[in-house]
Amino acid sequence: MSKSPSSLSHPAGNVRVHVHGVESPHPPQAAPWSLLRMGLASRIAAALAMSAALWALVLVAMR
């Protein structure tokens, strides 16, 4: 059963406008580093280092 294009369209009353312009009150800031730009090995190493640090904190707190 195929649907006609008119049955897939949005109703006319449901129009939303999403605009990013110069007048934006909060412009994006340049990040000095990004997890998305890190390689897989770097992300795994960072996760292991963070895990080790948190476990050390737990072990010290349990003393």
Side-chain angles (χ1 to χ4, degrees), residues 10-16:
H10 296 290
N14 191 15
V15 177
R16 295 182 182 172

Side-chain angles (χ1 to χ4, degrees), residues 30-63:
W33 60 274
S34 171
L35 280 173
L36 299 176
R37 285 185 271 170
M38 291 174 67
L40 180 62
S42 299
R43 280 186 268 171
I44 291 174
L48 288 174
M50 182 62 72
S51 179
L54 290 173
W55 273 112
L57 183 66
V58 167
L59 293 174
V60 168
M62 290 176 59
R63 254 182 158 199

